[in-house]
Amino acid sequence: MIVLSCNVRGLGKGEKKCVVRSLVEFYKPTIVFLQETKLSNYDDRVIKAIGGSALNRGIGVDAEGALGGLLSLWNEDQFKVSDCISNSRCLILIGELLSMKAVAAFCNVYVASVEGEGRKLWDFLINSMNSFSISWCIGGQPK
């Protein structure tokens, strides 16, 4: 299983989507975490432009103005999402890794350089981890 995580610093331009899609095609990940997308709309066109046919599901957290934005993409033939928890800095996917028959959580995080935001994120993550007795994978930019 491969998890790819990248701070894209904006996905508004088609060239960036192409670069990310090239990485997806090359590495063939099960899950992709993208941070700082600076997008507020994650429709099927965005998911298809980045994930192609390999990553057929996705969910995002809207950017706040020109800051932030998270997008998580996954291959539903390999990972079946049963729950999603999110806030402005964190996107947690909980589901079953089908080949391993194991439940796990995959967490995409991004915290801008704002005083105190990192501590709030870690408090949220620790509380979330304590709520689920499963394996966790955290990717992104937790300060």
Side-chain angles (χ1 to χ4, degrees), residues 7 13 21 27 33 51 62 65 73 89 93 115 119 128:
N7 182 329
K13 295 184 179 178
R21 183 164 178 169
Y27 288 105
F33 299 144
D62 292 347
L73 302 157
R89 302 288 180 236
L93 303 174
E115 183 88 21
R119 185 73 219 159
S128 298

Side-chain angles (χ1 to χ4, degrees), residues 32-34 42 58-62 69-74 83-94 105-110 121 124-125 136-139:
V32 170
F33 299 144
L34 301 176
Y42 300 98
I59 190 166
V61 172
D62 292 347
L70 295 167
L71 178 60
S72 294
L73 302 157
W74 65 94
D83 199 4
C84 178
I85 302 165
S86 66
N87 63 29
S88 62
R89 302 288 180 236
C90 177
L91 179 56
I92 302 170
L93 303 174
I94 299 169
F106 291 86
C107 183
N108 183 2
V109 298
Y110 173 77
L121 171 67
F124 177 79
L125 287 176
W136 283 74
C137 174
I138 300 174

Side-chain angles (χ1 to χ4, degrees), residues 4 8 11 13-14 16-25 29 32 34 37 39 42-56 71-73:
L4 179 66
V8 293
L11 275 178
K13 295 184 179 178
K16 284 240 181 133
K17 290 180 185 125
C18 288
V19 169
V20 175
R21 183 164 178 169
S22 295
L23 290 170
V24 167
E25 290 172 353
V32 170
L34 301 176
T37 63
L39 296 177
Y42 300 98
D43 61 19
D44 289 340
R45 289 178 295 149
V46 172
I47 292 167
K48 184 80 170 162
I50 297 165
S53 60
L55 301 172
N56 48 12
L71 178 60
S72 294
L73 302 157

